[in-house]
Amino acid sequence: MANYEPPVTDYESIVENCTCAFCGCNCDDLDYLIKDGHVVGVRHACRLGASKIMEDMDQRLLVPMIRGEDGELAETDWDSALDKAAELIAGAVRPIFYGWSETSIETMHHGLELGELVGAVLDNQATICHGPSLQAVQNAGYPISTLGEVKNRADMCLYTGSNAMNSHPRHMARYSTFPRGYFRPRGRFDRTVVTLDPKYSDTAKMSDIWVGFEQNGDYEFYNAIRAVLKGKKLQKEFISGIPKEDVEELAEAMKNVQFGALFFGLGLTHTLSKQRNIDIAIQMVADLNSYTKWILMPMRGHFNVNGFNIFMAFETGFPYGVDFARGYQRYMNGETNTIDLLTRKECDVFMVIAADPGAHYPGGAVKHLAEIPVIQVDIHWGPSTEIADVVLPGSFVGVEVGGTSYRMDGVPIWMKKAIDKPETCRDDEWIIKEILERVKKIKAEQGALASK
Amino acid sequence: MEYVLKNGIVYDPANKVAGEKKDVMFKDGKIVDSVSADAKVLDVTDKIVMPAGIDPHAHVAGPKLVVGRIYRPEDSRKGVTHKTDILRSESGFSIPSCPSTGYRYSRMGYGTVVEAAVPPLEAKHTHEEINSTPNLDIVPLSLFGNNWFVLQYAKQNQIEDLAGFIAAWLRLAKCYGVKIVNPCGSEAWGWGMNVHGLDDPAPYWDVTGREVVTALAKANEMLGLPHSVHVHPNDLGHPGNYPTTVSTMEALKDIEKNSTVRGQTMHLTHAQFHAYGGTSWRDADSGADYIADYVNNNDHVTIDVGQVTLDETTTMTADAPMEFDLYKLSGLKWANKDVELETAAGIVPVIYSGKAPVNSLQWAIGLELFLKVNDPWKVCLTTDHPNAGPFIRYPRIISWLMSNERRQEMMDNREVHPWSHRRTSLASLEREYDFNEIATITRAGPAKIYGFQDRGALTPGFNADIAVFDINPNDIDPSRNHEAIEKGFSSAMYTIKDGEILVKDGEIVKVVKSHTLWTDVKGMEEQEKRVMDRVMPDFTKYYTIKFENYQVHDKYLPNPIVTEVQAGK
């Protein structure tokens, strides 16, 4: 039993019903075991969530830093760092404030006010992950439900382009496949699980049916299902590498369930046909609703990536990539999104909060980031720190500070605080508010000067 | 600070003031009888003065609004404005962003809006949006008509426990009253089905809409909530649905009212969508007579209309099966949002056109309801925003109500399809509303229906929520000047909220935080405890969220206005 880890027994107190700040599952049933002001154990969480919460001090950013003339980051005090950040933002022509998906809605409020004040672009990780899904939603519709509907009713769960067992480890356990629901009292045994994925993934291994169609075969496959649903005869013997009899059999099975749920991940959004894959998946779900009940849901990655889209939509009317440069909001995919602005070298100051573009962006975008001032608000050292000019150490939402987040299905959750943050760190909300206040002051001085 | 609105022509139906020239005074946010000589004078000579508007039914904040905004950037791009020194930039036409919603209501002289559908699981979201909507007091109603616990209490006819459940859930979700949408139908939608009529039981639960509506109405009266049950009956939007509507009203006829602050035991919402005759859209005609007759002959029902405004809009309702039907009819993109154990929701864009026979029929039926319900205290002005049209069209509807000439003109010159007069009696209705009746259906009536004791009238001690319009009622013939009426009510000369001038000459001059109204029931502690003991095991098993994280914490209501109710009193 080399892998056996004995349970943690050496702790002082337990904080119950904490919310996990990792993926879009936002599991809110975690118990934190606390000792000496640290979380030494986490109950109920998956490995991803537990390790993030327990190893909160690993490569932790603890003090504000400014990159000096010598090109090295040097520790400084909060006032200097905030002043520097405010000065950069106040002087910017085309600033971008990017990230937000791993911080609270409360922080976003100040960020949006700052963005409107200086005419920035506000964007989040959707721009590089589920952006195509949102485009498809705008094309074709958005038939979703909360996860409890799936738990209580679904007799078929279909994962496509998503390896939930690895990316959202408790998704199947807590919401879709395994839990005993009101109308599915035997849990897993009352459901058929289907995985559509070229890869025989860990999720496929858990499934009753695995359809391993060809890579980039998504669109053709869904198109064929739709054709079968509409009573058409398939002309080709193989559809995306799958015998047509199997396609027909699956379509028939999908038609004959009582409640089906389709979960899709980046495997669908980022293969050949991009948002068109999602378009047709949405249309397929709409077609299926003429026979029985089906919903679909994007497997959102960060715990508040959906929250940013929701927040921006109710504040400005648009979900991401919102540009205030002209004094009003604009949303134009390909024009006002972060990657486009960076590769066109338009952006002149970049603030990243709770995200790691240094690790995730395409080379051309990172190259431009290396050439312009970058302000980082984060809790951990990462590739973005290497290109940052001002580093502002934040605090951990859902552990060290409370905050509102929105689960992948749109359920809002108050993530409560369990322990104190390191003394030298500040809450994200406070940091952004401070920058806002300082930028306002600079703008007021500039205004006073200009009117003289 | 003291103010006098001087020499205005005042319409204050609650105090039986109908077009008298008099001064209105307020001090420290409240209406007063007299002020000192230092009071600031606002000269409103010969302008219309009314209490600020109250919208009794709209969808302005919450999860389905945001789905609409996310998936309809084409709507958000309409109505974009540049930011100013005090205003943020606006966006949207039928689903405006939160700040835009606040600004636009404020410019029309409104002060209070009811958000008519809050799923308790996502109530925090609604409250977040309320907090982002300035210049308005917002009154959220919580959805109960398809809640699994409610279905069980109704089935077993346990009214006292149901009342305890309502009391507990209003506190958890921080809501003001009880909303019922397509009772049992939205639950059936969990299986892709619907119920048809009041006596078609929900699958599995074996309980009917009749049982649910009746039980909730009884529980509502047991608690003595300030508002009655707020009912969106079954069969919305289906030709031949008026009998369902009438039988829903009849089902609640004998329920004893337990409230001194309101007159009704049932509010029938967006009645226009529930007043269709015929058997299909081929032979559909008006059922407005049946609804209006019932309302005229019975005192336990009030209605709002849900007037079609002939615009492109975004429909959204907890009546999700109806939205799917609408999607099948129009083929426009379909969004859906079901909420575990509580409700469903659907969203579909709709283009209401005067060229379309059905839309013109709907337009005419709405106007028929306004004109056929004799007592203006029983009918309110709504568009069920954004379902039949955006709220910014209220002034246009007022202009239609005040001008028979304009209505006839629209029918004569084919601005609306001939179905509007061939299949309804609109062409024969000559009634025209006067300003006092307009003040009743947009202010005094809704205030009475919601049991408000602090707004909707210019009574001393009430909030100084006042609207002034640049219209001289003694010098205008609304019948012939529909454009001037629409313009006048679109931009208030003054909108005053809690004694602060928010709008002057149609422009917003001040932005304030909104308030949230909710009802705190006292005296049901024992029943609530019994209910929680029964509910908690199921809650833990079937919700996907912990109870601790389910409730709306006080933090989400920075500016609450709490109505305390002693149950049974």
Side-chain angles (χ1 to χ4, degrees):
Chain A
M1 293 291 280
N3 290 328
Y4 176 73
E5 287 177 29
V8 178
T9 51
D10 184 19
Y11 58 88
E12 291 156 1
S13 60
I14 301 183
V15 185
E16 292 182 333
N17 300 332
C18 295
T19 306
C20 180
F22 194 86
C23 76
C25 287
N26 298 39
C27 302
D28 71 328
D29 60 344
L30 310 193
D31 295 346
Y32 294 167
L33 311 181
I34 315 263
K35 191 190 176 190
D36 298 334
H38 286 281
V39 181
V40 292
V42 180
R43 288 186 185 151
H44 306 151
C46 68
R47 287 201 150 223
L48 298 176
S51 66
K52 182 176 174 189
I53 294 155
M54 286 163 64
E55 289 161 28
D56 62 322
M57 294 309 288
D58 181 40
Q59 300 191 53
R60 182 71 187 248
L61 293 169
L62 284 167
V63 255
M65 293 183 285
I66 296 179
R67 195 173 295 278
E69 298 280 311
D70 57 356
E72 297 295 324
L73 283 171
E75 294 184 0
T76 180
D77 57 282
W78 271 101
D79 259 333
S80 311
L82 289 166
D83 279 340
K84 178 75 183 167
E87 183 192 313
L88 287 169
I89 290 169
V93 177
R94 197 92 174 96
I96 297 177
F97 303 158
Y98 169 86
W100 309 104
S101 303
E102 300 207 297
T103 189
S104 61
I105 301 289
E106 288 75 7
T107 307
M108 295 175 201
H109 274 283
H110 300 301
L112 177 59
E113 193 180 343
L114 180 61
E116 289 180 11
L117 176 69
V118 301
V121 172
L122 268 80
D123 205 358
N124 80 328
Q125 282 91 328
T127 209
I128 50 167
C129 61
H130 271 291
S133 308
L134 289 166
Q135 281 175 266
V137 160
Q138 293 162 1
N139 290 337
Y142 198 27
I144 60 168
S145 78
T146 64
L147 288 162
E149 283 288 281
V150 179
K151 162 169 142 175
N152 287 318
R153 296 186 203 264
D155 53 349
M156 182 179 273
C157 299
L158 193 153
Y159 287 86
T160 172
S162 167
N163 184 3
M165 284 305 288
N166 289 188
S167 62
H168 300 72
R170 290 186 80 205
H171 193 272
M172 296 175 92
R174 192 158 191 255
Y175 301 120
S176 71
T177 305
F178 294 101
R180 293 156 188 253
Y182 190 89
F183 295 104
R184 305 291 164 216
R186 298 185 305 150
R188 175 69 180 87
F189 304 105
D190 284 340
R191 312 185 204 264
T192 307
V193 181
V194 183
T195 298
L196 310 184
D197 205 320
K199 209 168 63 171
Y200 188 57
S201 63
D202 285 345
T203 309
K205 289 173 200 160
M206 307 295 290
S207 305
D208 301 297
I209 300 169
W210 170 54
V211 183
F213 54 60
E214 289 167 355
Q215 278 196 22
N216 293 327
D218 315 70
Y219 191 93
E220 186 182 356
F221 189 80
Y222 289 115
N223 210 8
I225 300 250
R226 286 195 77 197
V228 175
L229 289 175
K230 287 176 187 295
K232 301 272 195 292
K233 272 255 168 281
L234 297 178
Q235 305 291 321
K236 286 167 72 179
E237 287 303 311
F238 289 90
I239 311 293
S240 301
I242 303 296
K244 75 172 181 189
E245 292 75 18
D246 290 7
V247 177
E248 286 161 357
E249 195 185 329
L250 180 63
E252 199 57 30
M254 290 166 78
K255 229 164 89 172
N256 287 317
V257 297
Q258 290 181 313
F259 186 111
L262 183 150
F263 298 100
F264 64 95
L266 296 185
L268 201 60
T269 52
H270 283 286
T271 47
L272 187 65
S273 310
K274 300 244 166 49
Q275 80 269 26
R276 297 298 173 204
N277 288 333
I278 319 295
D279 278 2
I280 200 155
I282 293 168
Q283 286 168 319
M284 179 185 76
V285 166
D287 291 347
L288 282 163
N289 273 279
S290 295
Y291 301 101
T292 181
K293 177 77 185 207
W294 271 82
I295 61 103
L296 97 174
M297 198 181 300
M299 297 284 283
R300 305 306 297 267
H302 303 283
F303 72 88
N304 215 5
V305 66
N306 195 20
F308 179 84
N309 300 143
I310 287 173
F311 167 77
M312 288 301 281
F314 71 67
E315 290 283 348
T316 75
F318 303 114
Y320 67 103
V322 185
D323 180 1
F324 292 98
R326 296 185 187 172
Y328 53 87
Q329 57 268 49
R330 289 196 317 137
Y331 162 72
M332 289 284 170
N333 280 309
E335 193 182 332
T336 62
N337 304 107
T338 305
I339 302 299
D340 306 275
L341 288 160
L342 288 175
T343 47
R344 286 201 306 267
K345 298 184 188 296
E346 274 186 43
C347 173
D348 63 345
V349 171
F350 190 88
M351 177 161 76
V352 48
I353 171 156
D356 201 348
H360 303 145
Y361 278 5
V366 179
K367 200 171 162 207
H368 183 62
L369 279 182
E371 287 162 7
I372 59 170
V374 173
I375 301 157
Q376 184 194 27
V377 183
D378 210 330
I379 56 176
H380 295 298
W381 195 288
S384 297
T385 316
E386 299 297 334
I387 49 172
D389 298 279
V390 181
V391 177
L392 303 166
S395 60
F396 197 156
V397 177
V399 180
E400 298 165 356
V401 59
T404 307
S405 66
Y406 287 82
R407 207 162 71 181
M408 63 166 71
D409 57 352
V411 172
I413 299 178
W414 169 251
M415 303 170 68
K416 68 180 176 188
K417 171 185 162 155
I419 57 171
D420 288 330
K421 59 181 175 288
E423 232 173 89
T424 48
C425 295
R426 297 287 184 271
D427 295 337
D428 297 358
E429 194 182 338
W430 182 89
I431 294 170
I432 304 297
K433 188 159 183 276
E434 272 298 311
I435 296 176
L436 171 65
E437 295 306 326
R438 283 160 208 251
V439 170
K440 273 185 184 166
K441 207 171 141 211
I442 296 172
K443 291 272 174 191
E445 282 163 9
Q446 284 171 348
L449 220 63
S451 63
K452 266 182 194 165
Chain B
M1 193 67 179
E2 298 175 288
Y3 288 92
V4 186
L5 283 164
K6 210 150 187 65
N7 286 330
I9 314 265
V10 178
Y11 293 89
D12 181 13
N15 291 311
K16 302 200 164 51
V17 177
E20 282 174 39
K21 189 167 212 169
K22 59 184 276 188
D23 298 344
V24 174
M25 289 158 280
F26 55 97
K27 181 182 174 183
D28 301 333
K30 302 284 178 195
I31 308 272
V32 290
D33 273 331
S34 61
V35 286
S36 70
D38 301 335
K40 191 169 173 194
V41 175
L42 303 171
D43 180 15
V44 293
T45 305
D46 292 333
K47 312 292 185 197
I48 289 180
V49 178
M50 291 179 177
I54 297 172
D55 187 339
H57 184 105
H59 302 277
V60 290
K64 61 188 185 303
L65 270 292
V66 107
V67 168
R69 297 182 189 112
I70 285 176
Y71 102 134
R72 291 204 72 199
E74 70 273 20
D75 189 88
S76 290
R77 287 189 180 109
K78 292 181 204 166
V80 172
T81 61
H82 204 284
K83 69 172 177 179
T84 71
D85 286 344
I86 59 162
L87 298 187
R88 298 170 59 190
S89 45
E90 295 179 34
S91 74
F93 173 72
S94 65
I95 30 174
S97 66
C98 291
S100 323
T101 302
Y103 301 157
R104 290 175 194 178
Y105 266 114
S106 209
R107 288 192 193 106
M108 296 195 314
Y110 271 70
T112 305
V113 176
V114 175
E115 159 52 53
V118 181
L121 177 62
E122 302 191 329
K124 289 187 211 76
H125 181 167
T126 306
H127 288 292
E128 283 223 301
E129 291 202 20
I130 289 174
N131 295 335
S132 292
T133 308
N135 286 15
L136 288 177
D137 291 350
I138 296 183
V139 186
L141 301 181
S142 181
L143 290 158
F144 283 99
N146 292 281
N147 185 299
W148 285 5
F149 301 113
V150 172
L151 297 184
Q152 293 173 61
Y153 286 126
K155 172 82 190 157
Q156 292 150 4
N157 200 26
Q158 292 172 323
I159 304 304
E160 199 179 323
D161 284 8
L162 179 55
F165 181 84
I166 293 171
W169 249 250
L170 288 180
R171 190 173 308 112
L172 285 169
K174 298 284 189 289
C175 286
Y176 187 83
V178 176
K179 172 80 182 296
I180 304 168
V181 175
N182 189 5
C184 299
S186 303
E187 165 54 26
W189 181 243
W191 305 113
M193 297 183 242
N194 196 357
V195 299
H196 300 284
L198 201 53
D199 297 304
D200 187 7
Y204 174 81
W205 300 99
D206 193 29
V207 59
T208 62
R210 182 186 299 278
E211 291 168 303
V212 171
V213 176
T214 318
L216 280 168
K218 283 181 187 163
N220 196 91
E221 297 311 315
M222 182 178 280
L223 295 173
L225 296 180
H227 186 42
S228 65
V229 284
H230 193 100
V231 186
H232 156 155
N234 306 101
D235 294 334
L236 180 144
H238 293 198
N241 62 7
Y242 77 82
T244 302
T245 315
V246 171
S247 36
T248 307
M249 294 189 282
E250 277 170 350
L252 302 185
K253 189 171 183 169
D254 298 327
I255 295 201
E256 204 175 321
K257 178 169 73 102
N258 171 26
S259 170
T260 52
V261 292
R262 58 175 151 88
Q264 86 285 9
T265 53
M266 168 187 174
H267 181 77
L268 167 67
T269 191
H270 38 69
Q272 177 271 130
F273 287 120
H274 303 278
Y276 304 150
T279 58
S280 74
W281 282 121
R282 282 183 193 286
D283 65 358
D285 60 8
S286 171
D289 270 337
Y290 301 97
I291 309 295
D293 283 351
Y294 189 92
V295 175
N296 286 334
N297 293 319
N298 292 278
D299 286 333
H300 71 99
V301 182
T302 55
I303 67 169
D304 67 80
V305 170
Q307 173 64 36
V308 166
T309 64
L310 305 174
D311 288 290
E312 177 183 327
T313 190
T314 313
T315 63
M316 51 182 64
T317 167
D319 196 342
M322 187 284 300
E323 289 285 1
F324 187 72
D325 294 346
L326 200 57
Y327 156 71
K328 298 289 276 184
L329 276 175
S330 74
L332 298 176
K333 56 190 178 186
W334 170 56
N336 183 74
K337 182 147 193 203
D338 299 346
V339 179
E340 61 208 56
L341 282 78
E342 292 178 357
T343 182
I347 302 131
V348 176
V350 163
I351 302 164
Y352 289 106
S353 164
K355 293 195 172 61
V358 169
N359 300 155
S360 304
L361 176 66
Q362 293 174 307
W363 171 83
I365 291 172
L367 291 173
E368 275 191 298
L369 285 167
F370 277 117
L371 300 171
K372 286 184 168 175
V373 173
N374 300 325
D375 181 356
W377 287 87
K378 287 183 174 177
V379 59
C380 308
L381 170 59
T382 65
T383 59
D384 185 18
H385 165 82
N387 283 306
F391 65 83
I392 49 171
R393 293 291 189 237
Y394 291 172
R396 184 168 296 173
I397 298 170
I398 292 173
S399 77
W400 292 336
L401 294 177
M402 297 189 87
S403 170
N404 180 37
E405 192 174 301
R406 173 62 184 145
R407 299 195 296 263
Q408 301 298 341
E409 178 187 73
M410 287 178 76
M411 289 184 274
D412 289 345
N413 66 16
R414 294 240 173 176
E415 284 178 61
V416 287
H417 187 275
W419 276 26
S420 57
H421 50 89
R422 286 195 197 141
R423 299 194 179 199
T424 77
S425 55
L426 183 62
S428 67
L429 299 175
E430 290 175 1
R431 180 177 168 193
E432 291 180 335
Y433 273 60
D434 61 27
F435 287 112
N436 199 49
E437 288 172 317
I438 294 296
T440 309
I441 64 168
T442 55
R443 278 119 172 115
K448 170 96 177 158
I449 288 166
Y450 279 90
F452 293 142
Q453 298 296 296
D454 60 353
R455 65 194 68 208
L458 302 175
T459 314
F462 274 38
N463 297 342
D465 290 5
I466 309 164
V468 181
F469 298 102
D470 187 7
I471 300 172
N472 180 350
N474 300 323
D475 189 33
I476 188 170
D477 179 0
S479 190
R480 286 163 190 279
N481 281 300
H482 68 90
E483 280 168 347
I485 292 293
E486 183 180 345
K487 187 161 171 282
F489 281 108
S490 294
S491 72
M493 186 177 167
Y494 286 107
T495 303
I496 295 159
K497 179 101 199 65
D498 296 317
E500 293 193 85
I501 298 171
L502 303 184
V503 172
K504 189 167 185 304
D505 300 326
E507 299 290 333
I508 292 170
V509 293
K510 183 160 190 179
V511 177
V512 296
K513 291 274 182 198
S514 50
H515 295 93
T516 317
L517 279 73
W518 70 279
T519 307
D520 192 5
V521 181
K522 304 282 184 198
M524 292 296 282
E525 290 72 19
E526 206 179 296
Q527 290 88 338
E528 283 184 49
K529 189 176 175 310
R530 193 163 70 224
V531 164
M532 293 317 291
D533 287 345
R534 170 167 166 192
V535 161
M536 277 317 288
D538 282 347
F539 187 101
T540 310
K541 266 189 276 182
Y542 303 123
Y543 271 100
T544 53
I545 183 168
K546 287 285 177 179
F547 185 73
E548 182 187 343
N549 299 322
Y550 176 81
Q551 59 197 307
V552 176
H553 309 286
D554 289 341
K555 139 185 168 42
Y556 291 97
L557 286 86
N559 308 305
I561 297 177
V562 188
T563 306
E564 282 197 13
V565 172
Q566 274 298 327
K569 299 255 169 72

